[in-house]
Structure formats: structure tokens, C-alpha cells
Amino acid sequence: MTLRIAVLASGRGSNLAALIDARRAGRLPVEFTLVASDKADAAALRHAEAHGIPTLALDPKSFATRREFDEALFANVAESGAQLVVLAGYMRIIDAAVTAVWTGRMINIHPSLLPKYRGLHTHRRVLEAGDPEHGASVHFVSAELDGGPVIAQARIDVRAGDTEDTLAERLLPREHRLLVACVDAIARGVVREGGGRVLFQGRAIPAPLQLDPTGHLTPA
Ligand code: GRF
């Protein structure tokens, strides 16, 4: 069983690269139907092209409204045959009319321990708050920014002397493993969305799954 996925990315594309690497190593049962971006110069698009994955760049400025842009983008996503959409560093808010259509079939990776620090500058906000730990979350996408049900999280300690850059650098490899583990769990039918909750092996989870040191998801 292979899950057909489309990936949306606005930038560097290291999370996309992690998915591609896992697929190539035989560790992720997916097929990439499309990599799409709102930025024509996104490195993620070049990376997809290098691996023979169909790509699409759409410029939001060519559309009158957010909804028209999102409808055009997701018409392409649907046409690609994708069963799951993965937002991997996709930096645009998606119109509620579109998120409603993809409920339970779209996930996002966000660099914080949600519900803490939705939105931007998460590393800075963790440092300003003096938090002892930081992390990343993968969640099903809802109309609310970074607000849908959280599937799983990866955690790191905040150390004395940490800066935004050191936190980002230490978290990124954990993000990659977390995203791969979540896509894998969805592809294998272990995780799905139901009634606004995350179901793990068919049961609603009371708290996000946690990424263990071996890269597996375990109940909290
Ligand atoms: C990651 O930190 C991700 O959590 C956030 O944007 C960054 C994207 O990095 N949403 P990349 O483009 O996947 O390298």
C-alpha cells in the first residue's frame, strides 16, 4: 500500500528532502504526486525536480484573492491524485474554504510544542519566555493557524547560551524524523483523523504522541 502525497513548501525544503530520502531508503511507503510552492525560487522545487517529482509554482500576486489562489493551487493538488497534503515549511495561511475540503487529509509541521507559540518566531519566543524545553509538532490542518489536532511532538532541552540559531539547528533534525514518522504512520493507517481528534490505532489520543530516540511514535 502506497500513499500518494503532495508537498507544499515555500523555502529551503529540508523537510521535503527528509521525506524523499526516507522514501528512497525504503523507509516510507509514499509516492510524491506533486511539490508545489508559492515561491518560484524555492529550493524545495529544485530539489523535487532533481528527483523527478512534478512541480508547480503559483504566484499569489497573479490572483485577486487568497481564496482564488488557494482554489487554483488545490485544484492542481487534487488533480495530481494526492491522498494527503504535507505542508513542509509552507508559509501561507490557507483559506478556510479549502482547509474544510481537506480536513483529515492535510498535515503541517510547526517548530513549537503546540499549543504554545502558534505563528512565527517560535525559537525567539521560547527563549524570551525562559522555557526549559522546546520542540516541534505535526498536526492536522484546520482553519485556525497552527490550530488543528496535534498528532505528535519531538522535544529538545533548551540549554544555557542557546540562541535562535542554535535552537533551530538542534531542532531541525528532530523535525525531519518527526515528519517522516507521522507521514509513515498515516500511510500505514496507524494514525488518522476522526471527529476533530487524532486516532492512533483506532483510538482517540488524550495527548500528542511523542517521538522516541529511535524515531518511532509512542503514546505520551
Ligand atoms: C521548519 O522549521 C518548519 O517547521 C517550519 O519552517 C521550516 C521549514 O524548513 N514550518 P524547510 O524548508 O523544510 O527546510
Side-chain angles (χ1 to χ4, degrees):
M1 170 203 59
T2 300
L3 186 72
R4 297 189 299 277
I5 67 171
V7 179
L8 305 191
S10 300
R12 170 180 62 176
S14 71
N15 279 285
L16 168 68
L19 293 171
I20 293 174
D21 288 350
R23 161 74 186 81
R24 284 165 61 86
R27 291 188 286 110
L28 190 62
V30 301
E31 178 194 328
F32 296 92
T33 64
L34 182 68
V35 171
S37 185
D38 57 321
K39 308 262 186 227
D41 60 355
L45 291 174
R46 307 291 90 76
H47 198 72
E49 285 160 8
H51 288 86
I53 300 169
T55 60
L56 170 73
L58 276 189
D59 183 357
K61 291 200 276 302
S62 320
F63 295 82
T65 64
R66 175 186 303 282
R67 180 167 299 187
E68 283 174 42
F69 171 80
D70 285 343
E71 284 177 349
L73 176 61
F74 279 82
N76 280 275
V77 167
E79 201 164 302
S80 77
Q83 298 165 291
L84 178 75
V85 179
V86 180
L87 307 182
Y90 183 65
M91 300 305 285
R92 281 179 64 82
I93 293 170
I94 298 171
D95 190 272
V98 172
T99 58
V101 170
W102 289 84
T103 299
R105 299 186 294 146
M106 176 151 58
I107 62 172
N108 177 48
I109 181 150
H110 181 72
S112 81
L113 294 172
L114 290 171
K116 282 189 151 187
Y117 313 125
R118 295 174 180 174
L120 297 175
H121 308 303
T122 59
H123 311 308
R124 184 188 310 169
R125 289 155 72 195
V126 162
L127 291 171
E128 283 168 359
D131 291 354
E133 65 170 1
H134 186 28
S137 305
V138 171
H139 63 94
F140 285 109
V141 174
S142 68
E144 200 182 341
L145 178 67
D146 301 324
V150 179
I151 300 167
Q153 297 180 320
R155 293 166 185 274
I156 61 170
D157 289 333
V158 177
R159 298 176 188 160
D162 262 332
T163 64
E164 287 182 58
D165 287 348
T166 62
L167 276 183
E169 191 184 329
R170 215 158 63 248
L171 185 56
L172 195 62
R174 304 284 294 153
E175 284 188 35
H176 296 162
R177 297 186 86 168
L178 178 68
L179 185 60
V180 168
C182 287
V183 173
D184 182 54
I186 293 170
R188 289 186 295 106
V190 176
V191 164
R192 63 189 171 85
E193 192 265 358
R197 310 281 303 269
V198 174
L199 307 183
F200 177 61
Q201 295 171 340
R203 294 198 184 167
I205 52 171
L209 303 170
Q210 299 296 311
L211 184 75
D212 75 15
T214 66
H216 292 100
L217 300 180
T218 54

